[in-house]
Amino acid sequence: MEVAPSDNALSRLGRRLNQRIQYFLDKSSPHVIGRWICLLLALTCYVARVWYLRGFYIVSYGLGIYNLNLLLGFITPQFDPELEGPELPTKADEEFRPFVRRLPEFKFWYASIKSIFMGMGMTFFSVFDVPVFWPILLLYWFLLFFVTMKRQIRHMIKHRYLPFTFGKKKYGKGPIAKDSK
């Protein structure tokens, strides 16, 4: 039996690894809180490593900018009301349309955890440890965060949407119709 050139041991190993990763991603899909706890643990490990090494501030800055961009995609509606007309109801008699994110929660989590693992991997190579004055980077990141969030919050207020829902609404007990037999 002849083996195709693209079907070598390395490509088979890559496919098996991708299948295993996809299996665990599929299993983690319904466990929202557990996934976010894992993300916080990974972020804590990354911060502890950067703190211990006293370096890799450029990597951390890039990681912060990337995750800020992901956060903006997460809290932004898929269809911008300014560009495509009013998507969300502005009056009580209009039809309710649920908030649909530009970046779904699972993709947001997955991209964030991948970026943290990539940043962690970069801390093992000294070529990425560029000497910089980190307080300036931190100050600039906070400035960028607050300006961006201010603009996003104004957009939320202007178009009256809230990107977070806290479960299904519960209504009070009303008169219960009894079956007549």
Side-chain angles (χ1 to χ4, degrees), residues 13-141:
L13 180 67
R15 276 196 308 269
R16 291 181 86 196
L17 183 64
N18 283 338
Q19 286 175 348
R20 230 177 255 269
I21 289 171
Q22 190 61 48
Y23 172 77
F24 286 117
L25 288 174
D26 292 343
K27 284 290 193 182
S28 73
S29 183
H31 306 289
V32 177
I33 295 172
R35 281 189 283 122
W36 286 98
I37 289 172
C38 287
L39 179 83
L40 289 176
L41 287 173
L43 185 62
T44 303
C45 290
Y46 175 79
V47 169
R49 179 155 174 82
V50 168
W51 184 269
Y52 175 74
L53 294 174
R54 304 265 187 227
F56 297 97
Y57 301 121
I58 290 289
V59 173
S60 300
Y61 179 72
L63 189 64
I65 294 292
Y66 179 74
N67 282 304
L68 177 61
N69 187 28
L70 290 176
L71 177 67
L72 284 174
F74 180 68
I75 63 174
T76 304
Q78 185 175 16
F79 304 107
D80 192 1
E82 290 178 350
L83 301 176
E84 300 172 18
E87 179 70 23
L88 300 171
T90 56
K91 297 177 185 167
D93 60 343
E94 289 184 8
E95 178 185 358
F96 171 73
R97 294 191 178 127
F99 182 81
V100 179
R101 301 178 192 297
R102 183 177 294 166
L103 182 66
E105 181 269 335
F106 186 82
K107 289 183 179 182
F108 174 45
W109 170 82
Y110 185 55
S112 293
I113 197 99
K114 280 193 321 186
S115 70
I116 291 171
F117 285 147
M118 186 175 290
M120 182 75 80
M122 291 172 83
T123 62
F124 289 100
F125 301 100
S126 62
V127 70
F128 298 112
D129 190 12
V130 178
V132 293
F133 188 61
W134 66 268
I136 296 295
L137 287 179
L138 188 64
L139 179 68
Y140 185 66
W141 187 86

Side-chain angles (χ1 to χ4, degrees), residues 148-165:
T148 306
M149 283 296 124
K150 181 179 174 183
R151 184 176 54 96
Q152 187 65 33
I153 290 171
R154 281 186 180 164
H155 190 267
M156 288 178 195
I157 292 170
K158 179 180 178 183
H159 296 288
R160 297 181 183 169
Y161 68 90
L162 188 62
F164 304 104
T165 56

